[in-house]
Amino acid sequence: MIRIHEIKLRAGESESKLPGKVERRLGLPKGSVLGVRIVKESLDAREKPDVYRVFSLDVESDLPDHTLLLAAKNKKVKAAEVNEQPYVLPEMTRELKHRPVVVGFGPCGIFAALTLAKYGLKPIVIERGAMMERRIEAVEEFWNGGKLDPNANVQFGEGGAGTFSDGKLTTGTRDAAQRVVLEAFVDAGASPAILYRQKPHIGTDVIRRAVVELRKKLLDMGAQFRFMTLMKSVEIENGAVKGITVSSCGADEFIETDTVILALGHSARDSFAMLNEKGLKLEQKQFSMGVRIEHPQRMTDMAQYGALSSDLGIGPADYKLAVRTSEGRGVYTFCMCPGGYVVASASGEGQVVTNGMSESLRDGENSNSALLVDVLTSDFGADDPLAGVRFQEKYEHLAFEAGGSNYRAPAQMVGDFLGKGTSAPSGGPEPTYRPGVTWTDLDKCLPDFVSASIREALPLLDRKLHGFAASDAVMTAIESRSSSPVRTRRDENGCALTYDGAVISGLFPAGEGAGYAGGIMSSAVDGIHAAEHAVCQ
């Protein structure tokens, strides 16, 4: 079997035409291609409104491979024999005296636990938040104007923060373990298309079901789950983990273990403080801060495709934009959600935090994206490791106050933000944020340098995507949880380090909360490798 590249279909054409396209592209006899398997799919919209789907394909034929390769060479088509190797777990070399513990059941914790279970180790999973069913109820109640539950919200609970997102499975890094993550989600009910799409996504509706299926799989493999259980302390003796103290229903309990994977997530601020007190080496880490910006999806489609996605028969358009200001700060879009919604994402009382979310069909009327500005460690105003956490909290509290101190979010139209007005929109996109917005001046809740950077960047970004800086586009504040403001240092074997440079055997910080990932895929992969480190030392 050979793999060929750059086979195109016009948007809307059926994939059943692919075998014939291969035959014509390579000059092969009709009917000689017996079948194809899609390996990769991307979009080419450079000649909009003529948009093409571009494929890499594994080709099954009644002709020998060398004949196909010669035909490809003669037609100047990139091709090679298929030589894929499955991802293989390394051999277990460390003997564990107790069941390993995974703290946190977001993407990092899920795949750390799955990896440990594949070694037959039956991990204990500690999750401070609620199971999926209860978590969804609590989030919906909050979005509809109810009370915030500090332990069941968009940040905390089964599935982690990615549960209420677009479910993107993209990452800027290449790692063979990514295939393991994709296949696990497909086995749990996600579309097989995520295996080959250039920008795979699941959607919040599908990822919720998939996470529950992954939990059930872990239970069948002998894992134990402790939801609504907070890790209060890690117990360390003679440079090694001895266990953790957890609290549930007001009662404390000690769990003895020699292996703990910390998959805490980027919002576990109380856990960061506890680890700092225990002497783990925490460092300040640069992150980003800004707003969510919303446009009509049809505007995004027209800007990117030159036509509506529904007319082309393809998914709604997305974008990824970046500029640098005159002072050198990066301003960029992040976690763009086609056909999505802006959602309330606070995890603490008296805070307003926003995020973006899409369902699998991405069929909402608006698109939205984070519009973020680089926040440097020098902006924190202090040298201690948790200064970035306090920086986030300060502006999240200001956003709460600017919105009316009732969890409504402060919002402003782009035209008013650029001209200092605060009128409500007329004719533009209606904000999708629940429990609602308060029209006000966003300067009240953004650092001065963030406001200034966004003002400078908006017209520059509009040159890259026509309509991005439309006066009636809606900006909602504050987007402050794109990544962790803290990194927990670890050695080459994944073990935590103390401030004096000593290694804490058996303690493995991982994922977004530890500062080593930024999204579902990178967090999941880091969880896999953390589990491998835990059993291969």
Side-chain angles (χ1 to χ4, degrees), residues 489-497 503-504 508-509 516 533 537:
R489 296 300 300 179
R490 60 191 187 189
D491 71 356
E492 66 277 6
N493 295 315
C495 290
L497 296 172
V503 175
I504 303 176
F508 303 91
Y516 293 95
H533 283 307
Q537 293 185 354

Side-chain angles (χ1 to χ4, degrees), residues 360-480:
S360 55
L361 294 179
R362 291 174 161 176
D363 54 0
E365 292 187 5
N366 289 354
S367 63
N368 75 78
S369 175
L371 177 57
L372 300 178
V373 177
D374 290 341
V375 177
L376 310 177
T377 57
S378 57
D379 297 317
F380 296 169
D383 295 331
D384 69 280
L386 302 182
V389 171
R390 293 195 300 275
F391 188 92
Q392 287 178 326
E393 290 178 330
K394 172 184 175 180
Y395 290 98
E396 290 168 6
H397 286 304
L398 288 174
F400 179 77
E401 294 171 0
S405 299
N406 54 9
Y407 293 105
R408 293 171 67 89
Q412 192 172 19
M413 290 189 297
V414 165
D416 288 335
F417 179 75
L418 294 176
K420 288 290 189 176
T422 57
S423 59
S426 58
E430 287 294 324
T432 57
Y433 186 89
R434 288 188 291 163
V437 302
T438 297
W439 299 102
T440 187
D441 184 352
L442 293 186
D443 288 334
K444 295 178 180 178
C445 60
L446 294 173
D448 290 344
F449 70 85
V450 170
S451 292
S453 296
I454 291 176
R455 284 193 173 91
E456 182 179 346
L458 278 166
L460 302 177
L461 294 168
D462 194 80
R463 296 175 193 171
K464 295 173 178 281
L465 184 77
H466 180 66
F468 189 84
S471 61
D472 57 2
V474 175
M475 298 195 302
T476 308
I478 186 171
E479 169 86 41
S480 55

